[in-house]
Amino acid sequence: MAWHYLATNQYGSVSGWGTNQYNAYVITQNQIDNATMMWSFFRNQGYSEQATAAIIGNCMWESLINPGQYEYGSSMTDFSVYGLGLLMWTPKSKIRDYAQSVGGNMYDGDLQCRFYLSDEQRGWNMYRGLTQYPNYPYIMTPEQFKISQQTPTYLAEVFGCNYEGGTYSTYRGGNAEYWYTYFHGTPPTPPVPPTPTGRKLPLFFYLRNPF
């Protein structure tokens, strides 16, 4: 299965991609496929089912799980402001620069998931909730979040507060619950092993005495 993306600064039903709310419109096959890829990626990295669902739920709210999603109405050529990607990284140059540094496609969902892993410690602020979420002080480190068995709703708000820094929305939690129910108990697809280089071992390796 390959990641899907649509480079667009339109949103929702306007773009034809799908919905950012678990109970609105119709969730498309593109969204299901991308969510499946995310489920395997983060589960293979050791994230709990609940934490993985929380990340997917936030991606659904931020970008419709579309790696090519630009912030609504923003320029698709000016990378100095506004957001781009699964988690709407701001400014857009964050994803562009990371893709250039690793020689990848900035719209590739797997690349964006790997960028999150590289950015998690730097971008996480577990005390942000004390000011932005006065009634929801979700204080949790990224290490605690990764293995947490708290509910997907709670962890979606932890993530939204501590990493996204976005405004409170019940849809983050609702989305997370939807994907948790969808994937619960589904084993992640094993990561693809690296392609063999075809290089042979030196001759002395085969001639040496094993005893």
Side-chain angles (χ1 to χ4, degrees):
M1 184 185 300
W3 280 87
H4 308 289
Y5 73 84
L6 173 66
T8 179
N9 60 4
Q10 298 303 301
Y11 211 54
S13 58
V14 177
S15 69
W17 182 267
T19 177
N20 70 336
Q21 300 172 8
Y22 65 97
N23 64 349
Y25 307 115
V26 177
I27 294 174
T28 67
Q29 191 61 48
N30 285 343
Q31 289 179 299
I32 293 172
D33 289 348
N34 285 0
T36 301
M37 299 286 281
M38 290 193 71
W39 180 263
S40 288
F41 180 92
F42 285 103
R43 293 290 288 130
N44 281 324
Q45 294 292 329
Y47 285 74
S48 68
E49 288 192 344
Q50 295 90 330
T52 299
I55 296 174
I56 299 174
N58 271 275
C59 286
M60 190 172 179
W61 178 248
E62 295 289 340
S63 67
L64 294 77
I65 324 181
N66 174 16
Q69 184 67 54
Y70 287 75
E71 196 161 336
Y72 180 75
S74 69
S75 168
M76 295 174 63
T77 57
D78 181 0
F79 284 77
S80 64
V81 292
Y82 299 110
L84 168 65
L86 290 170
L87 288 168
M88 205 52 60
W89 286 281
T90 305
K92 307 182 191 89
S93 58
K94 285 186 177 182
I95 283 295
R96 180 201 60 190
D97 294 349
Y98 177 76
Q100 290 175 349
S101 73
V102 298
N105 179 356
M106 67 180 180
Y107 298 134
D108 176 43
D110 188 71
L111 178 146
Q112 293 189 13
C113 288
R114 284 186 278 116
F115 174 71
Y116 168 74
L117 294 182
S118 73
D119 187 61
E120 184 178 57
Q121 293 288 342
R122 180 172 57 252
W124 194 279
N125 179 355
M126 68 177 179
Y127 297 109
R128 186 181 287 123
L130 297 179
T131 54
Q132 289 198 13
Y133 288 46
N135 299 317
Y136 302 89
Y138 297 117
I139 300 176
M140 185 178 286
T141 68
E143 293 80 13
Q144 292 169 331
F145 169 81
K146 180 177 180 177
I147 62 174
S148 178
Q149 300 294 311
Q150 293 270 19
T151 67
T153 293
Y154 179 82
L155 292 180
E157 296 304 337
V158 167
F159 189 88
C161 170
N162 294 336
Y163 186 76
E164 285 293 334
T167 55
Y168 175 77
S169 169
T170 57
Y171 285 114
R172 296 182 192 271
N175 291 346
E177 293 289 348
Y178 175 88
W179 292 110
Y180 178 79
T181 299
Y182 188 94
F183 289 117
H184 177 56
T186 302
T189 302
V192 178
T195 303
T197 61
R199 294 175 59 188
K200 296 182 179 180
L201 294 171
L203 179 60
F204 72 82
F205 181 87
Y206 301 99
L207 297 177
R208 66 180 182 174
N209 188 336
F211 304 102

